[in-house]
Amino acid sequence: MMMIRPFGDTGIDITPLGFGTWVLAGAGWQYSWGATDDDASIAAVRHAVATGLNWIDTAPAYGLGHAEELVGRALADIPEDERPYLFTKTGLIWEEGDDRSGPPRRVVRPDTVRRELEDSLRRLRVGHIDLFQVHWPDTGTRFAYGAEAEVGDATPLAEYWQAMADLKKEGKVRAIGLSNHAVAQLEEAEGIAHVDAIQPPFSVITRSAAPEVAWAHGNGTGVIVYSPLQSGLLTGTFTEERARGLGAGDWRASHPDFTTGLSANLALVDALRPIAARHGVPVAQVALAWALAWPGVTGAIVGARTAGQIDEWVGAGDLVLTAEDRAEIATAIVATGAGSGPARP
């Protein structure tokens, strides 16, 4: 039985690993991982629950609601008291007239927050959400990685966070959180209503959210990190050849992690291999255990397209790295120059 951890002050105890559904959302939308098979995706969700993972992370933006629909279908036949906690989000939307094959807008108006919640409840086939999170601060722009974006009206944090707090008071959601928000924004939100959880990107490559994790650690706020395997780079199976073969429908094909930063990232992965060998586990488990060992991190979101892929990393929830392991990883981070952020807490 996988150990569980208190999720901040929420009263929810979660397993160190949770199942992420971004990869299941299929093709035909911006930031897709490419085509998927719905039956295999449903089987993966059910297998994740069977292995003991007690929470699932999803969002309406993943496949224009398709990921949530798959989760709802996968859990429909599981007795309610055996179902995992469901975590979803709001704030990346395609409004009327938008080209839905293009990027969504960062919009967190009170009316869109409520609309997205009701749509998520319907797709997930549940009466409440265990954790409802804001994807990104509302900038009124198109969502983009490092590109110029269309400017629109932005909703102040105070307005959208109050809307989230109201939903919690109404019992529609059990806990509320912020993803991709900086410390100053977390402080502002905390003055309105407690930030139950944050969800930053965090891995042995992407370490720049360390200040936000530290803030959460000191404020009774749970932390679930996303992309702890850096979108496949830290699995130990990714190669330069595979990077060159990523299809046009795969968002990773043009991302710096898989292009200009690839050599340094793969060098860091190679440095993890001796540690994995000592523990008798795949490299992916070492990468996940590193993220889970960071003070303040409660859990890590990990995706998979098939049930078999889950078996490759699920053991990381019980893997404990030694002080020597962590020191060796810190040395490798500095030596390779991979990623950004502190090499150790």
Side-chain angles (χ1 to χ4, degrees):
M1 183 71 177
M2 190 178 297
M3 59 182 178
I4 57 175
R5 300 176 171 188
F7 191 28
D9 294 336
T10 63
I12 298 172
D13 292 332
I14 64 172
T15 49
L17 300 175
F19 188 71
T21 61
W22 180 7
V23 298
L24 304 183
W29 64 289
Q30 192 83 359
Y31 308 118
S32 165
W33 290 62
T36 54
D37 177 85
D38 284 357
D39 289 339
S41 296
I42 290 171
V45 173
R46 290 175 174 165
H47 187 67
V49 176
T51 61
L53 304 186
N54 77 347
W55 54 285
I56 292 175
D57 179 85
T58 189
Y62 302 161
L64 303 170
H66 190 54
E68 288 187 328
E69 290 170 349
L70 290 172
V71 172
R73 289 168 57 189
L75 302 182
D77 296 333
I78 298 177
E80 189 170 346
D81 60 352
E82 297 177 15
R83 293 181 185 179
Y85 296 116
L86 294 178
F87 301 168
T88 193
K89 310 177 191 73
T90 184
L92 288 182
I93 68 172
W94 287 263
E95 295 193 293
E96 186 175 352
D98 285 347
D99 174 8
R100 299 204 169 198
S101 65
R105 300 173 189 263
R106 292 189 191 181
V107 178
V108 200
R109 297 192 309 266
D111 64 305
T112 62
V113 168
R114 285 186 173 274
R115 186 185 72 213
E116 284 203 282
L117 174 63
E118 293 300 330
D119 288 344
S120 291
L121 292 171
R122 173 178 50 78
R123 287 188 290 257
L124 291 166
R125 308 183 188 188
V126 293
H128 78 280
I129 299 298
D130 296 296
L131 173 64
F132 195 42
Q133 306 156 93
V134 177
H135 257 298
W136 292 82
D138 189 335
T139 59
T141 63
R142 296 283 184 186
F143 182 75
Y145 283 112
E148 290 297 322
E150 174 186 342
V151 177
D153 294 329
T155 303
L157 183 148
E159 289 187 25
Y160 65 74
W161 190 240
Q162 184 61 60
M164 297 285 284
D166 290 344
L167 291 172
K168 181 179 176 180
K169 289 178 183 177
E170 294 167 18
K172 291 180 177 291
V173 300
R174 182 170 178 179
I176 52 176
L178 294 168
S179 180
N180 300 297
H181 283 62
V183 169
Q185 294 165 321
L186 299 177
E187 287 280 9
E188 180 183 354
E190 186 71 10
I192 299 166
H194 181 51
V195 180
D196 293 316
I198 66 169
Q199 183 178 316
F202 198 71
S203 75
V204 71
I205 292 173
T206 298
R207 308 173 302 275
S208 54
E212 287 72 39
V213 175
W215 181 91
H217 192 37
N219 284 273
T221 295
V223 180
I224 51 174
V225 300
Y226 73 85
S227 294
L229 292 179
Q230 206 68 24
S231 303
L233 276 174
L234 294 169
T235 59
T237 62
F238 211 92
T239 63
E240 290 189 9
E241 181 180 9
R242 185 175 171 189
R244 289 192 296 269
L246 291 173
D250 192 319
W251 67 272
R252 297 174 295 175
S254 59
H255 193 279
D257 281 344
F258 296 84
T259 54
T260 55
L262 183 63
S263 295
N265 291 338
L266 292 182
L268 179 55
V269 173
D270 285 340
L272 302 182
R273 297 186 192 281
I275 301 170
R278 288 200 296 270
H279 287 276
V281 299
V283 168
Q285 292 195 25
V286 173
L288 292 172
W290 180 91
L292 291 169
W294 197 277
V297 172
T298 316
I301 303 165
V302 195
R305 294 182 187 230
T306 66
Q309 289 176 342
I310 296 170
D311 295 332
E312 297 172 6
W313 49 256
V314 71
D318 296 318
L319 176 62
V320 178
L321 299 179
T322 67
E324 291 76 17
D325 293 334
R326 296 194 298 273
E328 190 173 331
I329 293 171
T331 298
I333 288 171
V334 174
T336 61
S340 60
R344 63 177 73 203

Short mmCIF file of all heavy atoms in Angstrom, two decimals, residues 249-272:
data_model
loop_
_atom_site.label_atom_id
_atom_site.label_comp_id
_atom_site.label_asym_id
_atom_site.label_seq_id
_atom_site.Cartn_x
_atom_site.Cartn_y
_atom_site.Cartn_z
N GLY A 249 2.45 17.47 -34.82
CA GLY A 249 1.33 17.59 -33.90
C GLY A 249 1.73 17.50 -32.44
O GLY A 249 0.88 17.55 -31.55
N ASP A 250 3.03 17.38 -32.16
CA ASP A 250 3.54 17.25 -30.80
C ASP A 250 4.18 18.58 -30.41
O ASP A 250 5.17 19.00 -31.02
CB ASP A 250 4.56 16.12 -30.74
CG ASP A 250 4.92 15.73 -29.31
OD1 ASP A 250 5.08 16.64 -28.47
OD2 ASP A 250 5.09 14.52 -29.04
N TRP A 251 3.65 19.26 -29.38
CA TRP A 251 4.14 20.57 -28.98
C TRP A 251 5.61 20.56 -28.60
O TRP A 251 6.29 21.59 -28.68
CB TRP A 251 3.30 21.10 -27.81
CG TRP A 251 3.49 20.32 -26.54
CD1 TRP A 251 2.79 19.22 -26.15
CD2 TRP A 251 4.45 20.56 -25.52
NE1 TRP A 251 3.25 18.75 -24.95
CE2 TRP A 251 4.27 19.56 -24.53
CE3 TRP A 251 5.44 21.52 -25.32
CZ2 TRP A 251 5.04 19.49 -23.38
CZ3 TRP A 251 6.21 21.46 -24.17
CH2 TRP A 251 6.02 20.45 -23.21
N ARG A 252 6.13 19.41 -28.18
CA ARG A 252 7.53 19.34 -27.74
C ARG A 252 8.53 19.56 -28.88
O ARG A 252 9.69 19.91 -28.63
CB ARG A 252 7.80 17.97 -27.09
CG ARG A 252 6.99 17.72 -25.83
CD ARG A 252 7.17 16.31 -25.32
NE ARG A 252 6.65 15.31 -26.25
CZ ARG A 252 6.77 14.00 -26.09
NH1 ARG A 252 7.39 13.51 -25.03
NH2 ARG A 252 6.25 13.17 -26.98
N ALA A 253 8.08 19.35 -30.11
CA ALA A 253 8.99 19.42 -31.25
C ALA A 253 9.70 20.76 -31.38
O ALA A 253 10.82 20.82 -31.89
CB ALA A 253 8.23 19.10 -32.54
N SER A 254 9.08 21.84 -30.90
CA SER A 254 9.68 23.16 -31.03
C SER A 254 10.07 23.78 -29.69
O SER A 254 10.50 24.93 -29.64
CB SER A 254 8.73 24.11 -31.77
OG SER A 254 7.50 24.23 -31.06
N HIS A 255 9.93 23.02 -28.62
CA HIS A 255 10.23 23.58 -27.29
C HIS A 255 11.73 23.52 -27.02
O HIS A 255 12.38 22.53 -27.35
CB HIS A 255 9.47 22.81 -26.21
CG HIS A 255 9.47 23.50 -24.89
ND1 HIS A 255 10.52 23.42 -24.01
CD2 HIS A 255 8.54 24.30 -24.29
CE1 HIS A 255 10.25 24.13 -22.93
NE2 HIS A 255 9.06 24.68 -23.08
N PRO A 256 12.31 24.55 -26.39
CA PRO A 256 13.75 24.57 -26.12
C PRO A 256 14.28 23.36 -25.35
O PRO A 256 15.42 22.94 -25.55
CB PRO A 256 13.94 25.86 -25.31
CG PRO A 256 12.82 26.75 -25.76
CD PRO A 256 11.66 25.83 -26.02
N ASP A 257 13.46 22.81 -24.46
CA ASP A 257 13.91 21.62 -23.71
C ASP A 257 14.27 20.47 -24.63
O ASP A 257 15.10 19.62 -24.29
CB ASP A 257 12.82 21.15 -22.75
CG ASP A 257 12.74 21.99 -21.49
OD1 ASP A 257 13.69 22.73 -21.21
OD2 ASP A 257 11.72 21.90 -20.79
N PHE A 258 13.64 20.44 -25.80
CA PHE A 258 13.83 19.34 -26.74
C PHE A 258 14.65 19.75 -27.97
O PHE A 258 14.83 18.97 -28.88
CB PHE A 258 12.48 18.79 -27.19
CG PHE A 258 11.69 18.18 -26.07
CD1 PHE A 258 10.90 18.97 -25.23
CD2 PHE A 258 11.75 16.82 -25.82
CE1 PHE A 258 10.20 18.41 -24.18
CE2 PHE A 258 11.03 16.25 -24.77
CZ PHE A 258 10.26 17.05 -23.95
N THR A 259 15.15 20.98 -27.94
CA THR A 259 15.96 21.48 -29.07
C THR A 259 17.28 22.02 -28.55
O THR A 259 18.23 21.27 -28.37
CB THR A 259 15.18 22.55 -29.86
OG1 THR A 259 14.73 23.59 -28.96
CG2 THR A 259 13.95 21.94 -30.54
N THR A 260 17.35 23.31 -28.25
CA THR A 260 18.61 23.92 -27.84
C THR A 260 19.12 23.40 -26.50
O THR A 260 20.34 23.38 -26.27
CB THR A 260 18.46 25.44 -27.77
OG1 THR A 260 17.35 25.77 -26.92
CG2 THR A 260 18.19 26.02 -29.17
N GLY A 261 18.23 23.01 -25.61
CA GLY A 261 18.66 22.52 -24.30
C GLY A 261 18.76 21.02 -24.20
O GLY A 261 19.05 20.48 -23.12
N LEU A 262 18.54 20.33 -25.30
CA LEU A 262 18.44 18.87 -25.26
C LEU A 262 19.72 18.19 -24.78
O LEU A 262 19.68 17.28 -23.94
CB LEU A 262 18.04 18.33 -26.63
CG LEU A 262 17.82 16.81 -26.70
CD1 LEU A 262 16.65 16.40 -25.81
CD2 LEU A 262 17.56 16.38 -28.15
N SER A 263 20.86 18.60 -25.28
CA SER A 263 22.12 17.93 -24.94
C SER A 263 22.39 18.00 -23.44
O SER A 263 22.77 16.99 -22.82
CB SER A 263 23.29 18.54 -25.72
OG SER A 263 23.14 18.30 -27.10
N ALA A 264 22.23 19.17 -22.85
CA ALA A 264 22.46 19.31 -21.42
C ALA A 264 21.46 18.49 -20.61
O ALA A 264 21.82 17.85 -19.62
CB ALA A 264 22.38 20.79 -21.02
N ASN A 265 20.21 18.48 -21.06
CA ASN A 265 19.19 17.71 -20.35
C ASN A 265 19.49 16.21 -20.38
O ASN A 265 19.35 15.51 -19.37
CB ASN A 265 17.82 17.98 -20.96
CG ASN A 265 17.34 19.39 -20.69
OD1 ASN A 265 17.79 20.05 -19.76
ND2 ASN A 265 16.42 19.87 -21.52
N LEU A 266 19.89 15.71 -21.53
CA LEU A 266 20.20 14.28 -21.64
C LEU A 266 21.47 13.93 -20.87
O LEU A 266 21.59 12.81 -20.34
CB LEU A 266 20.33 13.88 -23.11
CG LEU A 266 19.02 13.94 -23.92
CD1 LEU A 266 19.27 13.47 -25.35
CD2 LEU A 266 17.93 13.08 -23.27
N ALA A 267 22.41 14.87 -20.76
CA ALA A 267 23.61 14.62 -19.96
C ALA A 267 23.24 14.47 -18.49
O ALA A 267 23.81 13.63 -17.77
CB ALA A 267 24.61 15.76 -20.15
N LEU A 268 22.27 15.27 -18.03
CA LEU A 268 21.81 15.14 -16.65
C LEU A 268 21.12 13.80 -16.44
O LEU A 268 21.30 13.15 -15.40
CB LEU A 268 20.87 16.30 -16.31
CG LEU A 268 20.28 16.30 -14.89
CD1 LEU A 268 21.37 16.24 -13.83
CD2 LEU A 268 19.39 17.53 -14.69
N VAL A 269 20.34 13.38 -17.40
CA VAL A 269 19.69 12.06 -17.31
C VAL A 269 20.74 10.97 -17.18
O VAL A 269 20.59 10.04 -16.37
CB VAL A 269 18.79 11.82 -18.54
CG1 VAL A 269 18.26 10.38 -18.53
CG2 VAL A 269 17.63 12.79 -18.56
N ASP A 270 21.80 11.06 -17.96
CA ASP A 270 22.86 10.05 -17.89
C ASP A 270 23.49 10.02 -16.49
O ASP A 270 23.89 8.95 -16.00
CB ASP A 270 23.95 10.34 -18.93
CG ASP A 270 23.51 9.98 -20.35
OD1 ASP A 270 22.55 9.19 -20.48
OD2 ASP A 270 24.11 10.50 -21.30
N ALA A 271 23.55 11.16 -15.83
CA ALA A 271 24.11 11.20 -14.48
C ALA A 271 23.20 10.54 -13.45
O ALA A 271 23.65 10.14 -12.37
CB ALA A 271 24.36 12.66 -14.08
N LEU A 272 21.91 10.39 -13.79
CA LEU A 272 20.97 9.72 -12.88
C LEU A 272 21.05 8.20 -12.99
O LEU A 272 20.59 7.48 -12.09
CB LEU A 272 19.54 10.17 -13.18
CG LEU A 272 19.20 11.66 -13.09
CD1 LEU A 272 17.72 11.88 -13.37
CD2 LEU A 272 19.58 12.23 -11.73
#
